[in-house]
Amino acid sequence: MTRLLLRGADHLLTMDDARRELRGADVLIDGGVIREIGVALRADATVIDVSGCVVTPGLVNTHHHLYQSLTRAVPAAQDALLFGWLNVLYPIWARFTPDHMFTSAQVGLAELALSGCTLSSDHLYLYPNGTRLEDTIHAAAEIGLRFQPTRGAMSIGRSQGGLPPDSLVEPEGDILDDCIRVIDAFHDPAPGSLCRVGVAPCSPFSVSRDLMRQAAVLARDKGVMLHTHLAENDEDIAYSQEKFGCRPGQYAQDLGWVGPDVWHAHCVKLDAAEIALFAETGTGVAHCPCSNCRLGSGIAPVAAMRRAGVPVGLGVDGSASNDAGNLVSEARQAMLLQRVAQGADAMSAREALEIATRGGADVLGRPECGRIAVGARADIAVWDVSGIASAGSWDPAALLLAGPTTVRDLIVEGREVVRDGHIQTLDLRALIARQTALAQQLMAQL
Ligand SMILES: [Zn+2]
């Protein structure tokens, strides 16, 4: 494997345990791992000049539904609340085929890569027309991003009092069998793994209590992580209290859905007792500020969660509720939204970047990612701060205040995925053309 030497970063934001910031520093990468950090390093390696740049760890996306990049800005869903929004979109998603899943995943991942993301999870919870989790796994492998796909599921259809149409739900036995199949086929527990599979029933309002419990048992038996949506908005809390007689935190705890191997998306409405429960058990949270704003869900108590010690990462959420998928812009939104609720000192640009890097890596059970430290995986984002977005900045390292929203270079496991602003592993124009054609077909079918 090529050895790379990043030479002379204006600012190196390491996000290491001491949160060191180095000036004029080099980073030596070898075999997918960061070998050395320092000034004027000597090595037999391909040199990449990063002067004029801020260098950060690759950003980590902890929550996404990549398939939704084919349903951005659907008119009838633009101004709806969560449950109404789902009811507009379910019939469109029911038409998806393996080609829709693969193409939309590539679009979502390419957008993430250009915005600094080196590791993304995905939550795919509907499987119409022969679609399978590996449609997205192949898409990620082709681009070269580190991927954490989760086998999602819905089992309670409308005829049983659930929200999704019956055509999008699956029998619970089939769901568990397919979880085992995809874990056995694709999950790689190695330290440099580019694919770790998780188990992820969609939400407490689309699967049974029994499936939640069995999914947790299965995940622990296989040594994989658990993920779902939790406490997203007021309707969600009301549903939990009416159907289960308790708040979502209690429901999660009763079914084995707390612990360092579990992360929940949103958690906008966690109360003080639930925050304490998550902190005590090491249960992670995927904070999705744009989606929460877009769907009017509220402001997640992220500052309180972090003070209590809850592991918090960042997620763009699906492109039907964002509708962008730019991860560094999402980090800026996280910073701004805490300030709306708590004042200008509630979250700094550096803290939001920390959540977006090592915070997310820890939530996904990958502490070897998300920081630039000797021995860490070589996942690195290079931001050119010599352009218009940073011109006049007194502190270019405060990247989320004034800085570019796309990377110059992106390195994943020691390989260049983006160079000079261009993805190296696919033809982006051809991909956009394919995605546009598929979206137009879906519109024509309405
Ligand atoms: Zn989601």
Side-chain angles (χ1 to χ4, degrees):
M1 188 179 285
T2 334
R3 284 155 60 94
L4 295 177
L5 180 62
L6 304 188
R7 173 76 83 198
D10 277 13
H11 300 266
L12 180 67
L13 298 185
T14 64
M15 296 296 166
D16 65 6
D17 292 347
R19 309 296 190 273
R20 286 184 305 154
E21 294 189 14
L22 306 174
R23 303 292 300 266
D26 306 344
V27 181
L28 178 65
I29 296 166
D30 184 18
V33 173
I34 295 169
R35 295 287 177 205
E36 213 176 335
I37 299 164
V39 175
L41 297 180
R42 289 164 167 271
D44 177 19
T46 303
V47 173
I48 301 175
D49 180 357
V50 291
S51 58
C53 296
V54 173
V55 173
T56 69
L59 274 55
V60 177
N61 181 41
T62 60
H63 187 64
H64 209 328
H65 312 287
L66 289 165
Y67 73 92
Q68 293 180 5
S69 71
L70 265 169
T71 49
R72 301 188 207 243
V74 170
Q78 284 181 14
D79 306 316
L81 295 177
L82 177 65
F83 285 13
W85 173 89
L86 282 169
N87 283 327
V88 169
L89 292 164
Y90 280 141
I92 304 173
W93 296 336
R95 296 176 187 277
F96 276 37
T97 67
D99 188 24
H100 291 86
M101 292 300 183
F102 178 84
T103 304
S104 55
Q106 285 214 320
V107 166
L109 291 165
E111 189 180 13
L112 284 172
L114 290 168
S115 65
C117 175
T118 50
L119 163 60
S120 183
S121 64
D122 188 46
H123 187 187
L124 181 55
Y125 54 81
L126 41 85
Y127 294 88
N129 310 311
T131 51
R132 300 192 296 175
L133 189 66
E134 50 264 48
D135 299 329
T136 61
I137 293 173
H138 297 325
E142 226 176 82
I143 295 188
L145 286 199
R146 207 182 290 283
F147 197 37
Q148 196 141 332
T150 61
R151 206 302 182 181
M154 300 192 292
S155 64
I156 311 272
R158 204 159 290 159
S159 63
Q160 293 168 284
L163 199 64
D166 289 350
S167 66
L168 281 179
V169 304
E170 300 171 272
E172 299 197 340
D174 294 3
I175 292 168
L176 292 167
D177 285 349
D178 198 51
C179 286
I180 294 169
R181 181 187 72 80
V182 292
I183 293 165
D184 290 348
F186 299 105
H187 179 70
D188 175 7
S193 171
L194 289 172
C195 183
R196 291 212 185 147
V197 177
V199 173
C202 183
S203 64
F205 56 80
S206 52
V207 301
S208 74
R209 190 186 287 259
D210 200 40
L211 183 70
M212 291 292 286
R213 193 179 284 118
Q214 289 190 50
V217 171
L218 169 64
R220 289 188 174 120
D221 181 48
K222 292 283 186 185
V224 303
M225 292 193 69
L226 283 164
H227 181 48
T228 194
H229 293 99
L230 202 78
E232 182 165 350
N233 65 5
D234 289 330
E235 283 172 290
D236 200 340
I237 303 294
Y239 185 94
S240 182
Q241 277 170 329
E242 189 198 323
K243 295 278 186 190
F244 312 131
C246 63
R247 288 185 52 89
Q250 181 73 53
Y251 186 73
Q253 187 177 24
D254 289 350
L255 299 174
W257 275 76
V258 290
D261 56 350
V262 183
W263 86 105
H264 294 286
H266 300 303
C267 299
V268 173
K269 297 293 176 181
L270 288 194
D271 67 12
E274 289 168 317
I275 291 173
L277 171 69
F278 276 39
E280 197 178 301
T281 55
T283 308
V285 169
H287 174 46
C288 306
C290 285
S291 173
N292 298 157
C293 290
R294 163 78 162 76
L295 293 172
S297 301
I299 302 173
V302 171
M305 288 180 198
R306 282 176 53 85
R307 270 198 306 277
V310 176
V312 180
L314 190 66
V316 295
D317 203 358
S319 286
S321 68
N322 188 315
D323 297 87
N326 182 304
L327 192 53
V328 75
S329 298
E330 194 75 33
R332 175 179 164 91
Q333 185 77 12
M335 170 189 76
L336 295 176
L337 194 54
Q338 289 307 301
R339 292 174 177 219
V340 170
Q342 316 249 346
D345 59 354
M347 185 179 287
S348 69
R350 284 168 169 81
E351 185 182 359
L353 191 65
E354 177 182 322
I355 292 171
T357 52
R358 63 181 285 148
D362 292 352
V363 163
L364 295 185
R366 305 294 308 258
E368 67 279 17
C369 301
R371 54 271 276 162
I372 296 176
V374 172
R377 307 314 302 183
D379 291 1
I380 293 177
V382 177
W383 310 87
D384 181 352
V385 291
S386 65
I388 189 74
S390 313
S393 173
W394 290 33
D395 179 15
L399 198 62
L400 306 183
L401 288 174
T405 53
T406 54
V407 289
R408 192 192 79 176
D409 306 321
L410 190 78
I411 293 162
V412 182
E413 189 66 5
R415 298 183 188 92
E416 287 183 272
V417 172
V418 180
R419 184 190 298 159
D420 289 331
H422 296 287
I423 296 185
Q424 300 297 295
T425 43
L426 55 73
D427 178 345
L428 198 61
R429 271 171 199 270
L431 174 63
I432 293 167
R434 278 211 309 282
Q435 170 97 331
T436 304
L438 288 173
Q440 282 168 349
Q441 278 169 22
L442 289 167
M443 282 179 230
Q445 285 167 350
L446 276 185

